[in-house]
Amino acid sequence: MPLLPKIFALLVVSYFLSPIDLIPDFIPVLGYLDELILLPASIYLILKMVPEPVLIECRAEAQAWIAQHKPTPRSVIAAVVIMVLWMVLFWALWKFWGDDVIKAFSAAFAGWL
């Protein structure tokens, strides 16, 4: 892999993990717009900087690794138990605070209707 795409990829990752942004995230829509535009554009640029033979070789190695490791679920029963626990938690939350949530939303949006 050439050095320039590695450095650029490192800079892109460090920017997206950094708390410092061009446009701060607390600005309602624009805060996330820079990531929404810059991330795909940066990935596209990095892929264009990498030579085609390197991409072909890396994709072949990735396919071989995936075929060799065959990721499969370890335990379907555990997944079902976890889902049931989350459903019970949300049911309990709704049972105790659901009416209050409905009243709060009704009061908040009463002027809109």
Side-chain angles (χ1 to χ4, degrees), residues 69-102:
H69 287 86
K70 298 259 189 204
T72 57
R74 298 288 181 220
S75 173
V76 175
I77 295 172
V80 169
V81 168
I82 291 170
M83 287 181 2
V84 167
L85 287 174
W86 276 107
M87 289 177 7
V88 166
L89 173 71
F90 285 124
W91 173 82
L93 290 173
W94 185 257
K95 178 97 168 131
F96 292 111
W97 291 297
D99 292 334
D100 296 334
V101 171
I102 296 294

Side-chain angles (χ1 to χ4, degrees), residues 27-98:
I27 297 174
V29 174
L30 297 175
Y32 294 109
L33 196 59
D34 64 337
E35 282 95 353
L36 188 66
I37 293 171
L38 288 177
L39 183 62
S42 301
I43 291 171
Y44 177 78
L45 244 143
I46 292 169
L47 286 175
K48 287 297 177 187
M49 293 166 63
V50 176
E52 191 66 30
V54 173
L55 279 177
I56 292 171
E57 178 186 341
C58 290
R59 287 178 179 148
E61 286 179 19
Q63 288 295 331
W65 187 88
I66 290 170
Q68 182 183 16
H69 287 86
K70 298 259 189 204
T72 57
R74 298 288 181 220
S75 173
V76 175
I77 295 172
V80 169
V81 168
I82 291 170
M83 287 181 2
V84 167
L85 287 174
W86 276 107
M87 289 177 7
V88 166
L89 173 71
F90 285 124
W91 173 82
L93 290 173
W94 185 257
K95 178 97 168 131
F96 292 111
W97 291 297

